[in-house]
Amino acid sequence: MSNYKTETKCIQSGYEPGNGEARVLPIYQSTTFRYTSSEQMGRLFDLEESGYFYTRLQNPTNDAVAAKICDLEGGVAAMLTSSGQAANFYAIMNIVEAGDHIVCASALYGGTYNLYAHTIKKMGVEATFVDPECTQEELDAAFQENTKAVFGEIIANPALVVLDLEKFANAAHAHGVPFIVDNTFATPINCRPFEWGADIVTHSTTKYMDGHAACVGGAIVDSGNFDWETHKEKFPGLTTPDETYHGIVYTEKFGKGAYITKATAQLMRDLGSIQSPQNAFLLNIGLETLHLRVPRHCENAVKVAEYLKNHEKVAWVRCPSLPGDKYYDLAQKYMPNGTCGVITFGLKGGRDAAVEMMDRLKMVAIVTHVADARSCVLHPASHTHRQMNDKELVEAGVQPDLIRFSVGIENIEDIIADVEQALR
Ligand SMILES: *Cc1c(COP(=O)(O)O)cnc(C)c1O
């Protein structure tokens, strides 16, 4: 980790050209890498030596961008994935096997909910979903003998529930398992979950990190803080010999790098959800301005939320940075400089009025996306979360009338003017 401040890390971390080399991170658009001796290539395959051989495992462009994200989060190792979904899938699959169990805060992105509630269940891994506002006792009661991880979103998409990081971290550690946080909405500009006890952080880089709605991507960062060896019997995949690599033991050979090395060497090798170097290059350009864009998103979002709150046709508004919001205190604790650019609201006219208002917006577009420079809206009950039944919707914190408004970084007066004419 470098000692630079966050703003500098956004620009400088991950890539340092040598004398006469490209100033800008090059795109290593190559599937493979050349060696002069067959012997050396063999050592790479045995993980005896580090180096590039095939882009499904590692690529220099991707590694540089992963290193930047790692530095921003304050971690020890990181990897890029093809999407946020792949990141959340790998983050869990790297430490569970059929017959295992995880505990999740229930306010989740729709895709993540489906992944943990249904898809990994077919692989023999069960999830228990707990109300993020549960008591310590209720949280403790969710753990089982076979629990291997705790997962939650820092700011749930789209419920905007702020996760009490310390409560979940303490529970995870009391039960000898790591705490995994999806930090997509806060980004390391507003929150670094490792400072609050998280062990692993995931990202959908598709959102603010890319910031321009150009590339789908994900990342996993390891803090290096979780001691797998202390809980050896729970994590045999990391602490006992891997026969597919001549019996190496990840924790013995790679120490704090064990978790990410295993995720790369096994999961990426076998499942192959790599990010293309071209996308990593674009993601890196997005990261260079993350520290400028995120504060503006947050500032604009609070202004739109204030405007909506005072509008006669608006029934309710949720923005964790707005005084009076249910999650204001938690947001102030974990994200005093701002939360995210996404707010939600409902109209007095309910679901039908929501749909009509959205159709009348001119600049603000209806898209299945959040967290890029352009303002956009979505109605989760009829879009992203439409496969959920009413009970699941409520558990995920999504009311049927909820409009998700991803406030962009256009001029605030233009954004509010569009909302105003649509509401009228
Ligand atoms: C979008 C999103 C995901 C999924 O990411 P993709 O890049 O779309 O696969 C996961 N978690 C959160 C919080 C998200 O907003």
Side-chain angles (χ1 to χ4, degrees), residues 49-186:
E49 205 174 287
S50 66
Y52 296 100
F53 48 114
Y54 192 58
T55 285
R56 170 150 43 76
L57 287 125
Q58 277 185 293
N59 172 282
T61 308
N62 291 19
D63 280 1
V65 181
K68 176 178 283 187
I69 295 171
C70 186
D71 207 16
L72 282 166
E73 287 288 3
V76 296
M79 69 196 284
L80 298 187
T81 58
S82 55
S83 65
Q85 285 300 111
N88 283 338
F89 178 52
Y90 283 25
I92 294 291
M93 287 318 279
N94 203 33
I95 45 177
V96 299
E97 290 178 6
D100 284 345
H101 171 260
I102 60 171
V103 172
C104 300
S106 64
L108 290 177
Y109 173 69
T112 309
Y113 179 83
N114 280 326
L115 171 66
Y116 295 158
H118 304 297
T119 300
I120 64 169
K121 192 174 182 174
K122 292 177 192 156
M123 301 171 178
V125 179
E126 294 264 357
T128 297
F129 295 89
V130 295
D131 186 331
E133 283 156 74
C134 65
T135 62
Q136 196 73 55
E137 294 69 44
E138 287 165 335
L139 186 50
D140 283 335
F143 286 81
Q144 305 176 4
E145 197 84 336
N146 56 347
T147 302
K148 298 295 166 71
V150 174
F151 181 93
E153 284 175 21
I154 174 69
I155 307 171
N157 174 10
L160 302 186
V161 171
V162 175
L163 193 66
D164 189 342
L165 296 177
E166 285 186 320
K167 179 173 80 177
F168 278 78
N170 290 340
H173 298 155
H175 292 88
V177 301
F179 177 35
I180 306 175
V181 175
D182 181 330
N183 197 29
T184 298
F185 267 26

Side-chain angles (χ1 to χ4, degrees), residues 1 15 17 27 53 91-92 96 147 221 249 265 278 284 299 338 410:
M1 203 191 359
Y15 174 66
I27 308 174
F53 48 114
I92 294 291
V96 299
T147 302
V221 189
V249 176
Q278 176 82 44
N284 190 45
E299 187 186 314
E410 301 94 344

Side-chain angles (χ1 to χ4, degrees), residues 128-299:
T128 297
F129 295 89
V130 295
D131 186 331
E133 283 156 74
C134 65
T135 62
Q136 196 73 55
E137 294 69 44
E138 287 165 335
L139 186 50
D140 283 335
F143 286 81
Q144 305 176 4
E145 197 84 336
N146 56 347
T147 302
K148 298 295 166 71
V150 174
F151 181 93
E153 284 175 21
I154 174 69
I155 307 171
N157 174 10
L160 302 186
V161 171
V162 175
L163 193 66
D164 189 342
L165 296 177
E166 285 186 320
K167 179 173 80 177
F168 278 78
N170 290 340
H173 298 155
H175 292 88
V177 301
F179 177 35
I180 306 175
V181 175
D182 181 330
N183 197 29
T184 298
F185 267 26
T187 82
I189 302 301
N190 285 340
C191 183
R192 282 179 296 279
F194 295 156
E195 293 171 4
W196 300 99
D199 300 289
I200 292 151
V201 155
T202 61
H203 281 281
S204 166
T205 61
T206 317
K207 313 295 165 54
Y208 291 113
M209 284 191 165
D210 169 296
H212 302 80
C215 299
V216 174
I220 308 174
V221 189
D222 182 12
S223 66
N225 292 336
F226 191 81
D227 190 351
W228 309 103
E229 282 289 331
T230 305
H231 309 283
K232 214 172 161 59
E233 71 301 335
K234 280 191 204 286
F235 305 103
L238 283 154
T239 59
T240 62
D242 178 358
E243 292 315 327
T244 68
Y245 280 112
H246 310 299
I248 64 162
V249 176
Y250 289 99
T251 46
E252 279 172 15
K253 190 154 174 73
F254 300 102
K256 286 186 181 296
Y259 176 87
I260 292 292
T261 304
K262 176 176 180 286
T264 304
Q266 281 182 350
L267 299 184
M268 229 17 136
R269 178 194 63 188
D270 300 347
L271 303 172
S273 316
I274 54 158
Q275 186 162 132
S276 93
Q278 176 82 44
N279 281 7
F281 174 83
L282 292 168
L283 168 58
N284 190 45
I285 290 180
L287 288 168
E288 289 182 358
T289 57
L290 187 68
H291 63 296
L292 296 175
R293 291 183 287 104
V294 165
R296 180 59 67 86
H297 277 288
C298 296
E299 187 186 314

